[in-house]
Amino acid sequence: MARVTEHQSGTDTRARRARHLQLAVLLLFVLITGRLGWLQLARGDFYSDLSRENYVQGFPVLAPRGVIKDRNGEVLADSRASLSITLSKTRSRDDEGMADALAGLLEIDRSLVIEKLREARSRYFGSVVLVADATFEQVARVEERRFELPGVKVEVTATRRYPAGEFAMHALGYVGQISGSEVETMGALGYSSGDVVGKAGAEKRYELQVRGWDGGEYWVCDASGRELYPWSGGAVVEARPGNTLVLAIDAPAQRAAEEALTLHGSGAVVALDPRTGETLVLASRPAPDPNLLSYGLSAREWNALSRSPRHPLFNRALQAMYPPGSVFKVVTAAAGLATGTITTSSPRVTCPGSFRLGTRTFRCWKPEGHGTLDLIPAIVQSCDTYFYTLGVRLGVATLMNWAERSGLGIRTGIDVGGEARGNVPTPEWYDKRYGKGRWSRGVVVNLAIGQGEILMTPIQVACLVSAIVNDGVAHRPHVLKQVESPSGRVLGTARTAVSYELPYSDATLRTVREAMVGAVEGPYATGWRARIPGMRVGGKTGTAQNPHGEDHAWFAAFAPAEDPKIVVAVLVENAGGGGAIAAPIARDVMRAYFRLDVPVEAPGPPEPAVEESD
Amino acid sequence: MDRRRLRDFDMGLLAAALALVAVGIVMVYSATRGAADASLSGLAQRQAVFAVLGLAALVGALFVPQDTLEILAPLLYGLAMALLVAVLFVGVGKMGERRWLDLGVLRFQPSELAKYAMILLLARWLARKKTKLERATHLVVPIVITLIPFGLVLREPDLGTSLMFPLILLPMLYWAGARPVVILLLLAPALSVVLAFHLVVWLVFLGALACLLYLSRVLLTDKVVVFTASVVAGRVSPLLWAHLEEYQRHRVLAFLSPEKYRFSTGYQLIQSKIAIGSGSAFGKGFLQGTQKNYAFLPEQHTDFIFSVLGEEFGFLGCAVVLALYLYLVLRMLRLAAQARNRFAGLVIVGIASMLFVQSAVNVGVTLGMSPVTGMPLPLLSYGGTSLLVTLGAIGVVLGMGIRRMEY
């Protein structure tokens, strides 16, 4: 009996304990099943998305940037296929080992690899470029060890190419990797880190036109980042190449200008169509090769370039300010006529070779003097004494007022940036600079012949002459002519807009033009070297005094005189007289523009002419 | 074996175990199919071969008398401990671990044997009539039996497997008659180690423990011993943390914040959760798991086999497998309850606990409920030794089930 009871109680105890343990097991299984239900039933869609994001990766299909052509269809910039070594979002768990392997394989800086690996990881879409424009050796080495390098790929990309090197560089600009600050400002337009954008010139100004629209495609990738096959669930977005920019630049004229400038060292040439403002030539020398700038220079190369004493990055056509020298005499003359201070025939001024104001003597460029002359011969022969006299009669305030009204001291508004304003020194300007009443009224003597504190850029000179030959209307200069679709359909044409209007009567403008034609075509013409057989040319020489060395040579010209189709402003640094150096350059540019053969030897003066050296 | 004994044979238990083995072979096939690593192909066939060998082991184990096991227990335990010591000196393994003995034809993991040896010796000790479990001091011998393999396996180092030893001990103690409060008190120092990472939480815990001790009917000396042990354990907790291997610390940290370690130790947890979660209710279909096919899932044929199941068969498939494990464990506990032989009951409880803890922890890891421990899922994960030994153990349970009416 005792045995039975003992047995019974043992069974009860075991059963109770078994129930307890079973309950504990059941509870834990319920807990696990609950968790399973939460992950699979409640959050199933969320994890399905995560799973898809794991194995489906989007890759951008890069669109080439639009072609840039000159007005005749000559290609100035296009794209070429190049190979890049890229990193896509990788799941390699050994960054250090990867960095070691890649740095050794590609012979690049290890810290750069680490930085790029980090960048790749932070991106959800696409890849980051580790080596742009990779060499054949680099590509071969990566391909050989492809399976050990998850996420590393060789991609064909379009790289900007400027077939003619530095040709028209300051008009075209160049491209480069988008900077951090640019990503911030342009992010809303769909730009992101790693994109290539225009950094200067037309490339920058017309970035949105010329950029391509990247497409995208989705691939199924494994955990190592290897693409297995295209994903069927996602649409492929075709890449759309950028639009074609047709520039107003006339390549033959531009080439003539650049060749001449290169011969003389440094300077600028701007040529405009006065009827529209189309910029036919925008040349500045020296200039860097935009191909090199676009591939990305090293810090050392960039420093060497930006600190070069020849300042190749400096766009002299728009940014360099010089005293205009005798070119300014046309403004002084127009102001004299407009105010009634002079007429074409009076006063007649006698030039003994110098001009005396108070105790100071101002010399004419021709020491023996020009004799007695009125306005037109004074412009033609560029007589300083005549303009000293006129300047004193006008006074600083009046002369500079008319200079301002002639569009000087303001930007022309050309569509490639970085333009300088120039300087028109008014009495207020002198007061500010030297203190009220602490400057001599005699400054006007120098200002009247374009020396001293008055400063102009080559584009301003071209614009001023354009207005003079275009019935007083200056059109805003622009390098863009039209935008075309990649297939050649015209999408838009650059608008002709008025920049400013000269405040002179038709008669005054006619007189100035006549005098300028005389300055090239007439007897005693200072600009005779700009003559073109069979075409009447107008122009004005100038020499800007340079306290640091040789004078800068100026020449502004237009042709044909009866119906000007081109205006050219030439500035050659440290070259001496404008007539001798700058005028032949203007002539060559015009000849190139009109497709006239450039003679090997410049023809001699058919009539008595003079050398200007003011 | 006579007809009556055949009637006592638990067919349901065997069927559940075999179903799990079959699911395992299918999942190993799916997990290793088309793998980039050529060494993985053919693993499903190997698993099937081991399943057949395991079945033989199971049948063999049916015939071993429980008395023999009880007599052999100390010898087996001694042998297992000797092997554990040996593995520390001549063992092999990856990344500086020493877990396996290389026997030429196959590699043998002594810690697998040690679990069973410990169960048998514990059962033998606890089954003794004079064994009392009323005071904390009565637990000294079982604790020592547990701590020796625990310490040796921890040295390998194999934190996951080492934790199995104390987790098997607790239910066996309960089964042997220890009061729940005694077990709870035994747990107190271990809990203290974990909770000491947060000072406030630890102090609250110590307060609660003090209250519990005050209210419980336990000898004053035991109360003092337990409380002191808990305080000391908590104080040395940072030291224990510092003694963990780097990768073990990372596993714990990754468990606490997987996103922060998403490219290192947290990676497995995240990918496993994605695999299981994306399986939704019915799964992506057999062989269709993308997490698995594109190699996002780590260790997919071993420790993370459940994730493959979850991805391809969804909630439905997982629930069926969990139900099979539940059935297996509950069925074993029922056999234990029916066993008149105290030793047999304890052995069954020990084996059931081991199966339960191992499967719960493995599934918990794949679901992100527990830090990664590197523990296979019994019967499902690829692994010859494990399958062989587990099926052998189930044979022991079935054999004891047949003899459950014997004293």
Side-chain angles (χ1 to χ4, degrees):
Chain A
M1 188 66 199
R3 174 91 191 233
V4 173
T5 318
E6 191 191 330
H7 165 73
Q8 190 58 44
S9 90
T11 309
D12 288 350
T13 314
R14 283 200 303 274
R16 200 181 66 242
R17 294 205 160 139
R19 267 202 313 277
H20 288 165
L21 284 183
Q22 284 175 331
L23 197 67
V25 167
L26 197 65
L27 273 175
L28 255 165
F29 267 96
V30 166
L31 196 71
I32 287 173
T33 312
R35 170 75 175 172
L36 198 63
W38 167 250
L39 289 180
Q40 297 190 306
L41 304 180
R43 308 258 292 159
D45 290 345
F46 169 75
Y47 284 109
S48 292
D49 288 348
L50 284 187
S51 149
R52 199 166 43 250
E53 279 171 21
N54 255 347
Y55 71 89
V56 176
Q57 280 197 44
F59 293 98
V61 178
L62 298 179
R65 232 173 140 74
V67 172
I68 304 182
K69 297 175 176 174
D70 88 327
R71 64 190 299 119
N72 317 301
E74 184 176 328
V75 174
L76 305 179
D78 59 7
S79 300
R80 70 180 167 85
S82 72
L83 295 173
S84 299
I85 295 169
T86 63
L87 293 171
S88 57
K89 189 173 74 163
T90 162
R91 284 169 190 79
S92 155
R93 272 167 273 167
D94 182 19
D95 270 7
E96 301 292 320
M98 185 91 155
D100 285 337
L102 283 173
L105 214 55
L106 303 171
E107 292 169 357
I108 54 175
D109 200 14
R110 190 176 176 282
S111 59
L112 175 81
V113 184
I114 291 273
E115 187 188 317
K116 294 284 179 182
L117 278 170
R118 240 175 247 144
E119 201 184 318
R121 201 156 261 171
S122 66
R123 297 180 107 195
Y124 234 58
F125 195 86
S127 47
V128 297
V129 176
L130 180 63
V131 180
D133 209 22
T135 63
F136 176 75
E137 286 76 21
Q138 286 174 319
V139 169
R141 275 181 235 149
V142 164
E143 287 292 349
E144 248 169 45
R145 297 184 53 187
R146 211 174 152 196
F147 282 88
E148 299 155 45
L149 304 166
V152 179
K153 279 196 307 178
V154 175
E155 287 184 55
V156 180
T157 51
T159 300
R160 199 53 154 171
R161 172 172 64 174
Y162 301 91
E166 62 246 44
F167 180 68
M169 183 270 159
H170 285 289
L172 289 170
Y174 59 94
V175 297
Q177 288 250 333
I178 195 165
S179 69
S181 59
E182 283 169 330
V183 171
E184 273 175 33
T185 54
M186 299 163 80
L189 298 167
Y191 287 89
S192 61
S193 160
D195 283 348
V196 166
V197 294
K199 292 287 185 180
E203 291 272 28
K204 183 179 182 178
R205 175 66 178 76
Y206 297 105
E207 167 63 30
L208 293 183
Q209 293 292 343
V210 78
R211 80 181 282 202
W213 293 87
D214 292 348
E217 58 188 18
Y218 293 94
W219 280 74
V220 170
C221 296
D222 69 8
S224 309
R226 281 189 284 267
E227 294 136 65
L228 303 175
Y229 47 84
W231 186 50
S232 55
V236 175
V237 181
E238 296 288 342
R240 202 147 52 80
N243 293 323
T244 300
L245 297 184
V246 178
L247 299 189
I249 299 290
D250 183 66
Q254 175 86 20
R255 200 163 284 125
E258 292 189 355
E259 281 168 7
L261 287 176
T262 306
L263 213 63
H264 287 100
S266 55
V269 174
V270 178
L272 304 175
D273 183 334
R275 300 163 299 177
T276 57
E278 283 178 7
T279 305
L280 307 169
V281 172
L282 190 76
S284 172
R285 277 292 176 276
D289 183 346
N291 288 305
L292 300 179
L293 291 170
S294 300
Y295 300 155
L297 295 174
S298 69
R300 199 168 50 82
E301 289 167 318
W302 175 257
N303 282 340
L305 190 64
S306 59
R307 287 177 195 160
S308 161
R310 300 188 66 214
H311 304 295
L313 290 169
F314 186 53
N315 185 353
R316 289 167 168 78
L318 308 183
Q319 297 172 322
M321 303 188 291
Y322 311 90
S326 297
V327 175
F328 186 72
K329 285 174 185 165
V330 297
V331 177
T332 312
L337 290 170
T339 53
T341 313
I342 52 167
T343 65
T344 49
S345 53
S346 76
R348 290 176 64 80
V349 172
T350 301
C351 169
S354 63
F355 174 78
R356 203 171 167 79
L357 183 70
T359 55
R360 286 190 65 188
T361 301
F362 295 87
R363 303 200 173 281
C364 182
W365 67 267
K366 196 173 178 187
E368 61 274 28
H370 285 98
T372 301
L373 32 63
D374 54 21
L375 179 63
I376 290 179
I379 295 176
V380 168
Q381 295 178 45
S382 204
C383 173
D384 290 337
T385 304
Y386 182 91
F387 286 96
Y388 292 147
T389 313
L390 178 53
V392 171
R393 286 200 188 181
L394 286 167
V396 176
T398 309
L399 180 61
M400 289 301 109
N401 179 20
W402 285 90
E404 276 181 345
R405 292 171 69 187
S406 303
L408 310 189
I410 56 164
R411 294 186 181 92
T412 65
I414 187 167
D415 55 349
V416 288
E419 196 185 350
R421 281 182 53 192
N423 187 40
V424 176
T426 58
E428 295 75 37
W429 185 88
Y430 282 113
D431 283 345
K432 220 153 126 191
R433 179 124 186 221
Y434 299 110
K436 204 167 171 67
R438 301 191 61 179
W439 53 280
S440 155
R441 303 279 148 190
V443 295
V444 77
V445 176
N446 264 328
L447 290 176
I449 62 156
Q451 301 291 0
E453 292 81 5
I454 184 156
L455 302 174
M456 288 176 74
T457 61
I459 185 90
Q460 281 177 326
V461 171
C463 240
L464 172 68
V465 176
S466 286
I468 290 169
V469 302
N470 194 48
D471 299 327
V473 178
H475 287 124
R476 191 172 57 75
H478 49 91
V479 295
L480 181 74
K481 186 171 168 63
Q482 62 189 34
V483 178
E484 294 174 358
S485 71
S487 61
R489 192 162 56 85
V490 176
L491 301 173
T493 308
R495 261 189 318 207
T496 299
V498 174
S499 179
Y500 57 85
E501 288 185 46
L502 295 179
Y504 307 116
S505 67
D506 289 347
T508 298
L509 292 172
R510 222 175 11 253
T511 303
V512 172
R513 278 200 297 272
E514 194 186 318
M516 287 177 82
V517 173
V520 176
E521 304 288 349
Y524 309 107
T526 50
W528 64 269
R529 283 190 175 81
R531 286 175 192 168
I532 300 171
M535 185 181 285
R536 277 165 62 76
V537 176
K540 185 70 198 84
T541 54
T543 302
Q545 284 169 4
N546 175 14
H548 308 295
E550 273 289 299
D551 293 343
H552 303 312
W554 275 107
F555 191 75
F558 59 90
E562 306 75 35
D563 179 22
K565 293 184 173 64
I566 182 171
V567 165
V568 185
V570 179
L571 172 105
V572 188
E573 288 182 352
N574 314 116
I581 304 299
I585 296 177
R587 177 202 61 208
D588 291 351
V589 169
M590 290 187 289
R591 290 190 71 107
Y593 180 64
F594 291 118
R595 308 290 190 270
L596 304 170
D597 290 335
V598 182
V600 180
E601 290 282 325
E607 294 173 61
V610 290
E611 295 289 338
E612 186 206 32
S613 59
D614 60 337
Chain B
M1 220 178 282
D2 59 29
R3 194 175 287 271
R4 189 180 59 83
R5 287 198 161 180
L6 212 60
R7 206 181 55 220
D8 284 342
F9 184 78
D10 195 330
M11 207 48 118
L13 202 157
L14 179 67
L18 292 184
L20 285 170
V21 170
V23 170
I25 293 169
V26 170
M27 292 327 296
V28 168
Y29 172 73
S30 171
T32 54
R33 185 175 149 274
D37 184 351
S39 69
L40 294 182
S41 63
L43 288 194
Q45 286 94 316
R46 285 187 61 163
Q47 181 83 339
V49 169
F50 273 105
V52 172
L53 293 177
L55 212 56
L58 183 148
V59 174
L62 281 178
F63 297 98
V64 180
Q66 45 205 35
D67 294 350
T68 312
L69 281 174
E70 194 169 355
I71 292 162
L72 286 178
L75 201 71
L76 213 60
Y77 184 84
L79 175 70
M81 296 312 115
L83 288 174
L84 281 181
V85 172
V87 87
L88 292 180
F89 294 101
V90 296
V92 292
K94 49 187 178 182
M95 293 190 295
E97 302 159 347
R98 290 173 180 277
R99 293 183 184 178
W100 285 271
L101 286 175
D102 198 340
L103 303 181
V105 276
L106 58 94
R107 292 167 98 194
F108 173 73
Q109 197 173 353
S111 57
E112 285 290 321
L113 179 71
K115 284 185 282 191
Y116 296 99
M118 184 201 74
I119 289 172
L120 291 177
L121 190 64
L122 268 179
R124 184 185 148 118
W125 170 264
L126 294 170
R128 291 192 329 165
K129 269 212 157 120
K130 56 183 179 185
T131 301
K132 297 253 188 308
L133 295 170
E134 283 146 16
R135 296 190 46 188
T137 46
H138 293 157
L139 303 176
V140 170
V141 173
I143 288 176
V144 169
I145 292 174
T146 311
L147 280 184
I148 292 171
F150 169 80
L152 288 170
V153 174
L154 194 63
R155 287 283 297 171
E156 286 182 3
D158 187 350
L159 182 66
T161 307
S162 69
L163 286 174
M164 288 294 295
F165 296 97
L167 289 174
I168 296 169
L169 167 70
L170 295 176
M172 287 182 76
L173 280 180
Y174 178 66
W175 194 261
R179 284 188 293 136
V181 70
V182 174
I183 291 171
L184 205 67
L185 296 179
L186 197 61
L187 267 177
L191 273 173
S192 188
V193 168
V194 177
L195 299 177
F197 280 98
H198 196 289
L199 185 65
V200 177
V201 173
W202 187 52
L203 291 176
V204 169
F205 166 75
L206 287 181
L209 183 67
C211 291
L212 188 72
L213 288 172
Y214 178 75
L215 293 173
S216 65
R217 288 183 294 109
V218 183
L219 280 179
L220 182 65
T221 48
D222 285 1
K223 291 178 181 179
V224 173
V225 166
V226 167
F227 194 78
T228 313
S230 299
V231 173
V232 171
R235 293 293 297 166
V236 300
S237 178
L239 282 176
L240 289 177
W241 177 252
H243 264 86
L244 282 183
E245 295 288 325
E246 184 76 13
Y247 82 96
Q248 290 171 332
R249 275 201 297 262
H250 276 173
R251 278 178 174 180
V252 175
L253 291 173
F255 167 67
L256 297 174
S257 47
E259 277 302 320
K260 196 172 158 193
Y261 293 86
R262 53 195 287 229
F263 292 113
S264 52
T265 26
Y267 175 80
Q268 301 177 325
L269 280 181
I270 292 174
Q271 295 300 340
S272 168
K273 269 160 69 180
I274 292 176
I276 294 175
S278 65
S280 297
F282 303 109
K284 295 173 182 169
F286 181 49
L287 303 178
Q288 304 298 315
T290 56
Q291 288 287 105
K292 181 212 78 185
N293 284 345
Y294 305 133
F296 291 99
L297 205 52
E299 317 280 338
Q300 41 183 262
H301 61 292
T302 55
D303 297 354
F304 286 88
I305 193 93
F306 190 77
S307 316
V308 180
L309 177 83
E311 186 177 26
E312 300 198 335
F313 293 98
F315 182 77
L316 196 69
C318 290
V320 167
V321 166
L322 285 180
L324 284 172
Y325 278 112
L326 182 66
Y327 179 80
L328 202 67
V329 174
L330 295 183
R331 204 71 192 179
M332 284 185 178
L333 289 175
R334 205 182 71 145
L335 282 184
Q338 291 170 347
R340 293 183 182 177
N341 183 298
R342 206 169 140 79
F343 172 75
L346 280 161
V347 169
I348 298 175
V349 167
I351 290 172
S353 308
M354 194 185 71
L355 267 178
F356 168 68
V357 170
Q358 211 166 315
S359 51
V361 169
N362 176 284
V363 172
V365 167
T366 64
L367 295 175
M369 297 166 83
S370 147
V372 175
T373 51
M375 206 181 275
L377 183 57
L379 302 175
L380 249 73
S381 288
Y382 174 78
T385 333
S386 165
L387 189 59
L388 205 69
V389 175
T390 310
L391 283 175
I394 289 171
V396 167
V397 172
L398 286 169
M400 287 174 164
I402 296 169
R403 299 178 195 93
R404 61 185 181 267
M405 296 308 165
E406 295 173 9
Y407 283 96

